[in-house]
Amino acid sequence: MNKQDSSKNIDRRDFLKLGLLATTSVLASSVVPSVKAEDKPTNKVVQTPLQKYIAKKYNHLMGGALKGLTDKQLQAHFSLYEGYITKINELESRIKTFDVNNPDTINYRGWHMEQTSMLNGAVLHELYFGNLGNGSKEPKGSLKKMVDRDFGSLQNFIGHLKTVGKIFHGWSVAAYNYRTGKLNVYGLERHNLNVPAMVHPILVLDVYEHAYMIDYGTDRKTYLDAFVTNIDWKPVQERLETALSIPFGERVTV
Ligand SMILES: [Fe+2]
């Protein structure tokens, strides 16, 4: 794969998989690249996309699999996530069938405002539930090396994740940055507010009150400790390896 192909591959994979890069797509659309004589269309296979979102099941996290998170708390959280799935399907259907010749765009604008909220609400919850479990209890391999390189220690990395989790309303997200090739921790005030562009989330922490209120009331600090105890580092490693398979650097914003 040459560099140009890699760049196009980044656009496609990131935008479809992460659901976190709406900002980039808007910015990118305002830049019309110059067409060079040597530019040739690729013959990459355009695969049939998923026709709609289908909620994943996380029943394996119940029944005492997680320490400090009860089935009642988890079930309420799963129901909320499933609501996001229902809503994003509904919104995308409405947007797709909108007559763009209709000058009344009030509802259309509202659907778009909700689109990124519902999409990110669904995707971030999948990432959150996905990195919970009683599997691997410590980072290994490239993940450990990157944590040590960019944060000095696992303790400091977790410290940043939890501190961001204390001071933001929505999410604390550790993500691989395709522009720099580093790990960062980002705070999202809402599903679709403060969303970083061109990053790949690897570890996602939900700090909305609905994530812990049933079990901990307003005691977010104890919930954060419980979350760290319940991290399954295996999917975190897998996400990082997916990110590392794509070249980072200046080309990602070509
Ligand atoms: Fe949540």
Side-chain angles (χ1 to χ4, degrees):
M1 183 185 296
N2 62 35
K3 285 190 175 181
Q4 192 171 33
D5 286 342
S6 298
S7 175
K8 290 175 180 174
N9 201 29
I10 288 168
D11 290 342
R12 186 182 70 249
R13 292 179 61 173
D14 283 1
F15 280 64
L16 291 179
K17 185 172 183 180
L18 304 184
L20 283 175
L21 303 173
T23 305
T24 301
S25 65
V26 171
L27 294 174
S29 67
S30 64
V31 179
V32 180
S34 59
V35 178
K36 299 175 184 176
E38 65 271 26
D39 285 348
K40 295 178 181 177
T42 64
N43 289 315
K44 289 186 180 298
V45 174
V46 178
Q47 297 180 329
T48 303
L50 299 177
Q51 296 304 308
K52 65 176 186 177
Y53 300 87
I54 297 174
K56 295 184 179 183
K57 296 298 181 185
Y58 296 97
N59 295 335
H60 64 283
L61 298 180
M62 298 202 298
L66 301 181
K67 296 175 182 175
L69 288 171
T70 63
D71 286 358
K72 185 177 180 183
Q73 175 70 72
L74 289 166
Q75 190 58 63
H77 210 170
F78 297 156
S79 296
L80 187 86
Y81 152 67
E82 289 165 4
Y84 290 127
I85 294 289
T86 300
K87 196 66 179 176
I88 187 59
N89 282 324
E90 178 185 325
L91 281 166
E92 292 202 348
S93 176
R94 287 188 178 191
I95 289 169
K96 185 176 180 180
T97 56
F98 178 75
D99 178 2
V100 293
N101 294 312
N102 184 348
D104 182 358
T105 55
I106 293 177
N107 287 334
Y108 185 67
R109 184 177 191 281
W111 300 334
H112 272 281
M113 292 291 284
E114 284 297 298
Q115 184 184 30
T116 50
S117 180
M118 295 301 110
L119 171 61
N120 289 4
V123 171
L124 287 167
H125 276 101
E126 291 181 353
L127 292 165
Y128 167 74
F129 295 133
N131 55 223
L132 290 175
N134 54 13
S136 177
K137 302 317 293 180
E138 61 181 4
K140 301 173 183 174
S142 55
L143 176 60
K144 183 180 187 311
K145 288 178 183 175
M146 191 163 286
V147 165
D148 289 343
R149 184 195 69 184
D150 294 341
F151 289 88
S153 67
L154 177 60
Q155 184 182 23
N156 190 43
F157 173 64
I158 293 297
H160 278 277
L161 191 78
K162 289 169 69 174
T163 301
V164 169
K166 286 177 191 170
I167 58 180
F168 279 80
H169 284 111
W171 301 90
S172 180
V173 177
Y176 176 82
N177 184 318
Y178 284 113
R179 184 67 175 77
T180 63
K182 295 180 182 177
L183 280 183
N184 291 95
V185 173
Y186 301 96
L188 280 62
E189 196 71 353
R190 296 283 182 267
H191 301 324
N192 59 349
L193 187 60
N194 316 112
V195 179
M198 285 314 233
V199 305
H200 190 131
I202 65 166
L203 179 57
V204 172
L205 163 58
D206 188 344
V207 291
Y208 279 103
E209 290 178 348
H210 66 242
Y212 60 89
M213 186 61 75
I214 292 174
D215 286 341
Y216 296 100
T218 58
D219 184 7
R220 185 185 293 195
K221 181 177 182 299
T222 305
Y223 161 69
L224 293 174
D225 293 337
F227 170 80
V228 172
T229 300
N230 288 304
I231 295 172
D232 181 355
W233 291 96
K234 186 169 183 289
V236 181
Q237 171 75 35
E238 290 174 354
R239 293 168 189 168
L240 177 63
E241 288 177 359
T242 297
L244 292 176
S245 68
I246 299 171
F248 70 89
E250 295 177 358
R251 286 289 298 175
V252 302
T253 52
V254 68

